[in-house]
């Protein structure tokens, strides 16, 4: 029987979920505040991981699995990671068949692969430094065929308002046209959330300003739990541009870019000296903290790409070169670029299992809004993979299990609180940016929490959940580093942090990580 799926978000995770469902002849309502062409997925630059082994380095999905688990400090669901890394090579092959123009290797025409942070093998497929844009373009084209056939109906320029639900059973959602203000109730068999990360809670991130975190905040208010929300990835190499952080892709270091600072007037290549095995391609949490320490000690850290060959610039980093020239007024081919860490990705999000089910029946989540695959620190090149594979998996589960239409008559809409005032938004973003940085402590986290404790809007509750999660994890692991608890504590905290809201208080508990089957 054909089912009706409602998908919130039209980036890579949302579009992949929509395409997967439509291919099974299910009807899809694809809701988004922005068109797919303006989704955050377009901004992903460096590439997508998959153990294609076209470089003859004896790479394998097992190696990809090992690197992913190690980078995430063993905090991800091993079964979910195993399934993703096993599927990755065929997914990349399918994307190429859909028209994604991956860089190729000479006469063999095999898909080219580059080094990326935290990985010992070249396994990141790429399209110059514009991979996300090319993936989005290919999926838009594929999805338009399903739109023509009537299986996909887009609700562009529509915001998610809240869920239609019967306590812990979801039957649809309420959406609002941002042009007219008109609200519409959509009922269906399943709802898939694919709305990206919580960038709007912070100042100056690399993420899209449209990724406000509002959907996650509303679901948390309704009682949906969050997982691992204290783990926030700071990309090591960003620059300030037009009021936000602009990413300088890890592809630059994957192709040989070097980090240095000036010590006694001489270049000091600190990553290469401290970490001789991976050097400038250490996992992002380590590299970001090292850069911050060097900035505090010596003043400025530079990304040096002047030695890269013209062929690398022309065929692999043209987009990065154009960005530096357009937004910084600097030629990366002739000038080192001053860099600093900036908020880039949220490992935490809605609590889901390996099949992308939330604890509520008929409700699923995929992409950056869901806590899956990345543990305490995301491996570079796994975000695009996680979004696409997660979208496919969520749709497959929803198509099999979704039964929302059977209970839609008993569903209701909980009254939605008013939006936070401008003062509350400004205070919230300032406090979270100041307290959830690369280094944290009990004192700084409590100070931040006290400043926003009286705020009760959904975004404020979400911000409080992040702070409570960071307070509860009394160890340092991956992207969460506590100056008062600098050691990793597997005995107590090799577990998933789960934050939940019961209508009056936020509660934190630690759940065991599933055992590998």
């Amino acid at each position: 029987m054909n089912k009706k799926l409602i998908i919130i978000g039209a980036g890579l995770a949302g579009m992949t979920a929509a395409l997967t469902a439509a291919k099974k002849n299910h009807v899809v309502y694809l809701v988004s505040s922005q068109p797919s062409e303006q989704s955050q997925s377009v901004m992903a630059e460096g590439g997508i991981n998959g153990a294609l082994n076209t470089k003859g380095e004896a790479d394998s999905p097992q190696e990809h699995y090992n690197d992913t688990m190690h980078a995430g400090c063993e905090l991800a669901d091993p079964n979910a990671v195993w399934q993703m890394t096993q599927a990755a090579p065929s997914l990349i092959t399918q994307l190429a068949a859909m028209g994604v123009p991956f860089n190729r290797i000479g006469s063999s025409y095999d898909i080219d692969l580059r080094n990326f942070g935290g990985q010992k093998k070249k396994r990141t497929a790429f399209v110059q430094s514009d991979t996300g844009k090319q993936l989005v373009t290919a999926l838009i084209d594929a999805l338009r065929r399903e739109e023509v056939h009537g299986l996909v109906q887009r609700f562009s320029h529509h915001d998610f308002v809240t869920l239609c639900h019967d306590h812990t059973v979801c039957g649809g959602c309420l959406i609002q046209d941002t042009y007219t203000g008109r609200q519409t109730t959509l009922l269906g068999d399943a709802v898939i959330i694919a709305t990206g990360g919580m960038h709007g809670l912070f100042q100056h991130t690399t993420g899209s300003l449209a990724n406000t975190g509002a959907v996650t905040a509303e679901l948390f208010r309704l009682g949906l739990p969050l997982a691992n929300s204290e783990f926030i990835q700071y990309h090591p190499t960003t620059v300030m541009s037009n009021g936000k952080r602009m990413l300088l892709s890890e592809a630059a270091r994957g192709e040989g870019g070097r980090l240095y600072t000036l010590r006694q007037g001489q270049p000091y290549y600190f990553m290469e000296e401290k970490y001789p095995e991976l050097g400038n391609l250490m996992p992002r949490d380590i590299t970001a903290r090292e850069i911050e320490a060097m900035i505090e000690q010596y003043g400025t850290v530079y990304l040096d790409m002047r030695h890269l060959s013209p062929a690398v610039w022309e065929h692999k980093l043209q987009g990065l070169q154009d960005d530096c020239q357009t937004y910084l007024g600097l030629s990366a081919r002739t000038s080192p670029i001053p860099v600093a860490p900036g908020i880039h990705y949220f490992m935490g999000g809605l609590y889901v299992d390996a099949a992308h089910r939330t604890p509520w029946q008929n409700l699923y989540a995929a992409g950056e809004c869901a806590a899956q695959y990345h543990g305490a620190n995301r491996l570079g090149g796994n975000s695009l993979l996680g979004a696409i594979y997660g979208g496919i998996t969520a749709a497959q589960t929803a198509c099999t299990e979704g039964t929302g239409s059977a209970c839609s008559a008993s569903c209701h809409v909980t009254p939605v609180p008013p939006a936070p005032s401008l003062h509350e938004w400004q205070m919230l973003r300032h406090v979270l940016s100041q307290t959830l940085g690369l280094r944290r402590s009990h004192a700084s986290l409590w100070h931040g929490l006290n400043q926003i404790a009286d705020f009760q809007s959904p975004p404020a509750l979400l911000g409080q959940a992040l702070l409570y999660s960071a307070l509860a994890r009394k160890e340092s692991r991956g992207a969460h580093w506590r100056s008062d608890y600098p050691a990793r504590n597997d005995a107590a905290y090799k577990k998933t942090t789960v934050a939940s809201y019961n209508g009056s208080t936020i509660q934190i508990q630690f759940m065991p990580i599933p055992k590998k089957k």
Side-chain angles (χ1 to χ4, degrees):
M1 183 178 71
N2 289 350
K3 294 185 178 181
K4 186 181 296 180
L5 273 64
I6 303 162
I7 300 174
I8 312 298
L12 283 176
M15 283 198 294
T16 307
L19 186 61
T20 301
K23 291 289 187 184
K24 296 177 179 290
N25 290 317
H26 299 296
V27 175
V28 174
Y29 292 158
L30 186 58
V31 181
S32 62
S33 57
Q34 302 277 356
S36 295
E37 292 86 345
Q38 295 178 20
S39 66
Q40 181 168 303
S41 298
V42 173
M43 302 167 68
E45 298 176 345
I48 178 171
N49 288 337
L52 295 168
N53 196 36
T54 60
K55 293 292 191 177
E57 296 180 336
D59 195 16
S60 67
Q62 177 72 60
E63 293 277 347
H64 185 185
Y65 168 86
N66 293 343
D67 285 347
T68 299
M69 293 300 294
H70 178 71
C73 304
E74 314 302 325
L75 221 59
D77 181 338
N79 301 297
V81 172
W82 177 259
Q83 292 160 10
M84 180 185 73
T85 55
Q86 290 290 313
S90 64
L91 279 181
I92 292 174
T93 302
Q94 291 170 37
L95 290 166
M98 288 171 60
V100 178
F102 289 111
N103 276 45
R104 301 282 179 160
I105 304 172
S107 58
S108 72
Y109 208 60
D110 289 332
I111 293 175
D112 200 0
L113 303 172
R114 64 172 32 138
N115 286 115
F116 238 57
Q119 305 187 88
K120 301 179 181 68
K121 306 289 178 68
K122 294 183 179 70
R123 70 167 65 96
T124 307
F126 61 98
V127 187
Q128 289 252 11
S129 52
D130 300 305
T131 310
K133 181 188 296 185
Q134 297 298 331
L135 291 173
V136 167
T137 299
L139 279 166
I140 289 172
D141 287 346
L143 204 54
R144 279 177 179 157
R145 299 186 186 99
E146 307 305 328
E147 292 177 56
V148 170
H149 295 152
L151 289 170
V152 175
Q153 181 179 350
R154 282 186 181 262
F155 288 80
S156 296
H157 58 82
H158 278 74
D159 285 340
F160 171 92
V161 178
T162 192
L163 290 178
C164 301
H165 64 95
D166 182 7
H167 303 294
T168 60
V169 179
C170 177
C173 63
L174 180 67
I175 62 174
Q176 180 169 327
D177 190 321
T178 59
Y179 291 175
T180 67
R182 179 183 177 185
Q183 293 189 340
T184 302
T185 299
L186 297 178
L187 300 178
D189 292 284
V191 175
I192 299 176
I193 307 297
T195 50
M198 299 174 273
H199 297 269
L201 294 181
F202 294 82
Q203 299 169 325
H204 311 316
T205 80
T206 66
S208 169
L209 298 177
N211 277 31
T212 62
V215 176
T216 300
E218 172 61 10
L219 296 185
F220 182 70
R221 180 189 74 88
L222 292 177
L224 271 299
L226 301 175
N228 292 339
S229 59
E230 68 270 31
F231 294 109
I232 301 169
Q233 185 171 85
Y234 281 72
H235 196 286
T237 54
T238 73
V239 294
M240 200 67 186
S241 175
N242 297 319
K244 65 187 297 291
R245 304 302 302 186
M246 185 179 82
L247 175 70
L248 294 185
S249 172
E250 202 162 90
R253 287 174 285 131
E255 298 298 340
R258 306 173 72 189
L259 294 165
Y260 78 91
T261 189
L262 292 175
R263 184 175 63 177
Q264 298 178 342
Q266 299 298 314
Y268 171 36
Y269 295 94
F270 53 93
M271 292 301 296
E272 297 166 31
E273 180 174 310
K274 293 185 175 185
Y275 307 96
E277 182 180 12
L278 290 178
N280 299 288
L281 289 172
M282 286 293 289
R284 291 177 177 179
D285 59 320
I286 296 172
T287 307
R289 284 195 295 272
E290 290 287 358
I291 290 176
E292 184 179 67
M294 291 298 107
I295 290 173
E296 290 180 355
Q297 189 170 358
Y298 298 112
T300 307
V301 167
Y302 299 92
L303 176 60
D304 190 1
M305 299 170 278
R306 292 172 293 178
H307 57 287
L308 301 184
S309 70
V312 167
W313 284 112
E314 182 178 350
H315 299 296
K316 298 182 178 182
L317 295 176
Q318 186 64 53
L320 186 147
Q321 175 182 306
D322 293 344
D323 286 346
C324 289
Q325 191 67 59
T326 301
Y327 298 107
L328 305 179
L330 294 173
S331 169
R333 299 179 72 162
T334 59
S335 302
I337 308 298
V339 295
I343 290 176
H344 179 57
Y345 191 90
F346 294 83
M347 276 73 72
L350 295 168
Y351 188 30
V352 298
D353 65 10
H356 285 266
R357 306 178 187 94
T358 73
W360 282 26
Q361 187 179 341
N362 308 322
L363 183 64
Y364 309 85
E368 192 177 356
C369 70
Q372 190 62 284
Y373 307 120
H374 309 305
N377 180 47
R378 177 173 65 79
L379 192 68
N382 270 359
S383 61
L384 292 175
L385 174 62
I388 291 172
Y389 178 74
I392 292 170
T393 305
Q396 289 173 338
T397 310
C399 290
T400 301
E401 300 177 354
T403 58
S405 294
C407 64
S408 59
S410 62
C411 286
H412 64 277
V413 174
T414 304
V416 180
S421 67
L422 178 60
H423 167 72
E424 185 173 323
W425 259 121
Q426 291 174 335
M427 176 63 77
L428 178 64
R429 297 177 74 215
H430 172 76
V431 167
L432 296 180
S433 298
Q434 293 296 310
T435 54
L436 288 170
L438 283 165
R439 288 175 288 182
R440 305 157 182 184
S441 69
H442 177 89
S444 65
L445 292 167
W446 263 118
H447 177 67
L449 195 56
N450 287 333
Q451 289 181 283
I452 62 172
D454 294 333
F455 297 163
Q456 292 300 308
S457 67
L461 292 174
L462 182 61
Q464 291 168 25
L466 270 60
L467 288 167
Y468 276 121
S469 296
L471 275 163
R473 184 172 288 277
K474 297 179 173 63
E475 66 158 357
S476 292
R477 182 187 298 264
H480 174 69
W481 197 87
R482 291 276 299 260
S483 59
D484 45 354
Y485 295 98
R488 175 168 156 174
N489 184 348
D490 279 356
Y493 296 108
K494 190 178 176 182
K495 299 176 182 177
T496 300
T497 317
V498 178
S500 57
Y501 179 65
N502 63 8
S504 59
T505 60
I506 295 171
Q507 300 171 329
I508 305 294
Q509 60 181 320
F510 289 94
M511 301 292 289
I513 295 169
K515 295 186 181 297
K516 191 172 186 297
K517 296 177 183 177

